[in-house]
Structure formats: structure tokens, C-alpha cells
Amino acid sequence: MLARIKARDVRLLTRNGHDWSSKVPHLVEALRSIGVASAWLDGEIVVLSERGVPSFQALQNAFGGRDLEEIVFYAFDLPYVAGRDLRAEPLRLRRELLEELVERAADPRIRFSEAFAAPPSALISSACKLGLEGIMAKRLSSPYSSRRTDNWVKIKCAQRQEFIIVGYTHPAGSRSSFGALLLAVNDDRGGLRYAGSVGTGFDDRTLTNIMRQLTPLEQSDTPLSFGSPSSRKSIRWVDPKLICEVSFSEWTAGGHVRHATFRGIRSDKPARDISRESSVAASQVAIRSLLTCQRQAQAPGLSAANAWDHSPTQNALLTLRLA
């Protein structure tokens, strides 16, 4: 989420350029309290669970139930401020200026995303023990980029990614709305490939909200080009427009997710951008990060201890600091 401030005009934009300002008016007012003539703050909006852990599902419920006041904005980068373009400046400088800027906010719902200079293995161990998604590792000398580059690495506790919803099964027993969501990803050859299903991670309100979105998308034909569920009994196909985020233990040899858990609906990504993601083991990332730190430490004024800036991912922003 990018917060653009120009005097009293404040806008919150998604990565696809959608204006969400009207959805979070309390954050618009909170950002105005910074009192800067102009600035762009890159960050994430989150909702903390009862345990103090940012929860993607709680964020979805906040929008669905209109509990908007619970949503807070964590700022982690500053590409532009006071008429100056900072995108070519090193991350270290941008974050120093950002921290000073956030301290001026009169509303506590505008927060600075803390960073930790520590070995990746120690940070990922702590994040996983706290039940968080993982951490982000960013090179302190890197310029700003709105796209993924090798200057930052996402280290996950478990596999997690977005999927396209292509259908659902009818509910059984006491379950309402639907039984499981059928998932797919874009295949390299074009068309959609079946990727399994997810039937856990829903509460009653989530089931109702998702079903309300699925109903107008129903269609008679399968949208899949490759693969299919083992049984097509009690399946309803839908137009593949809705995206959900799912965590899972592993990919099977047949290209399906195992032990999948629903995490939330994503409205900030188009279906065309959803494909199977390749993961890297945390131990491999830790080794690569260490080697990078050692190489950078050879430069004057830079040590291996501060060559990388390790900050939590969206679902791990505040909790590590509190712990």
C-alpha cells in the first residue's frame, strides 16, 4: 500500500493503482497528522489479533464487518518526501528519514516497521515460533524499487501464496455455504492448471462473505485447461476472477497443495499474475545472505553486521518488536 501525501490531499493506493482512501478514512486522517507538504510512504495495512499478532484474516474481517478502526498502517520505505525523489538513495537513508517522519504522526495507527540487524537463521526461528509468516531481508545499500529484485529476500516459515478460485464443493454436515474451494494457477503454456483444494481456515462470517462473491461468478463449464479434481461430484465451477491466499505444507508430485489452510481473499492482484511460486529453504537464504554480507563488508565503512536489514513480513511486523 502506497500512501501519497500532498498537503491535505492524502491517498492510499494498492500495488495495482486502486484508490482505497475511501475504505480507510481513519488512516487518511491519521496520515494528515504527519503535517508534511508532500511524501510517499510505502507500507502495509494490518489488523492485530487478540494475541498481538498481525492477522490477514482479521484484516479481511475488518473490511467485511466494517471494523475499520482496527486497521493500522505500518510504513517501511520512503521513496519521496518534501519535493525530493529518494528512490536512488540507499535504503538506510530512506528509513532514517521515514522514522523521523512517522514520529510526527499524532495518531498511533501510523507506525514505523522496525528492523533487526541479526543473523537470518535466528530471526526466522523466532518468527516461526511466534506463528508468523516469515521475515523480509533487505540490502541497506539498495535503491527503492516497486518490483521484486535480488536486493530483498522473503524468507517464509511455511509455503504460502495466492491461488485463483475456479470452483467450490457443496458443504457437508453442519458446514454452510461451501465445503472447499478449488484452486488453480496459470500454467506456463497458457490456461489454468488445477492446484488442489482448501477446506479449512474459514469461520462462519468468512464462509458467508466468500459465498456472496462466488454466487454471481458461477458457470457450467470448467475453467481448467490442465488437471482436474479426482471427483467432480458436487462441484460448482466459477469464473476465475477471485483470488485467495493459502498456506500449505508442500506441493505433491502431481502439482497439488497438501494440508492447505485458507488465509484470506486478495483483491489487490489480477488473476493473470497468479502462478506457482518456487520457494527457497531458509537455510539456503541464510547462507546466501551471509555470503552477501561478507562481500559487502569488504567495502569501506560497511560491516557484515549491518550489510542487511532484516524486517518481518506483513504478518510479522509488530510482534517481534514486542517480544
Side-chain angles (χ1 to χ4, degrees), residues 136-316:
M136 291 292 301
K138 300 180 181 180
R139 187 175 287 120
L140 284 171
S141 61
S142 63
Y144 177 84
S145 175
S146 58
R147 299 180 179 181
R148 184 172 298 188
T149 72
D150 60 3
N151 284 322
W152 63 269
V153 180
K154 188 173 186 178
I155 311 172
K156 299 181 180 181
C157 291
Q159 298 202 63
R160 181 166 172 159
Q161 72 161 79
E162 296 86 9
F163 292 90
I164 305 166
I165 301 175
V166 293
Y168 65 90
T169 62
H170 291 296
S174 60
R175 173 70 72 87
S176 63
S177 299
F178 60 86
L181 297 175
L182 305 181
L183 311 174
V185 293
N186 286 296
D187 191 87
D188 292 339
R189 294 169 289 179
L192 298 178
R193 173 172 292 279
Y194 181 61
S197 63
V198 56
T200 62
F202 309 99
D203 57 25
D204 291 339
R205 182 164 64 172
T206 303
L207 287 167
T208 301
N209 288 339
I210 295 176
M211 194 64 205
R212 187 182 299 117
Q213 297 177 71
L214 290 174
T215 299
L217 298 176
E218 290 182 3
Q219 62 182 40
S220 57
D221 298 329
T222 174
L224 296 169
S225 300
F226 306 96
S228 64
S230 57
S231 173
R232 295 197 177 190
K233 185 179 180 180
S234 300
I235 287 179
R236 297 298 297 268
W237 302 112
V238 298
D239 190 5
K241 294 182 178 180
L242 203 59
I243 309 301
C244 68
E245 185 168 348
V246 171
S247 63
F248 54 98
S249 62
E250 64 178 348
W251 288 95
T252 68
H256 300 164
V257 292
R258 290 193 62 200
H259 304 136
T261 301
F262 175 82
R263 297 300 181 183
I265 294 294
R266 298 295 297 265
S267 57
D268 58 338
K269 280 189 174 184
R272 65 177 181 273
D273 290 347
I274 307 303
S275 59
R276 177 171 171 173
E277 297 178 0
S278 57
S279 60
V280 179
S283 58
Q284 293 177 320
V285 175
I287 292 173
R288 185 170 66 184
S289 299
L290 179 60
L291 291 175
T292 304
C293 291
Q294 289 174 341
R295 287 197 299 269
Q296 289 194 350
Q298 298 174 2
L302 185 61
S303 65
N306 64 15
W308 280 82
D309 167 38
H310 306 287
S311 56
T313 58
Q314 176 194 348
N315 287 342

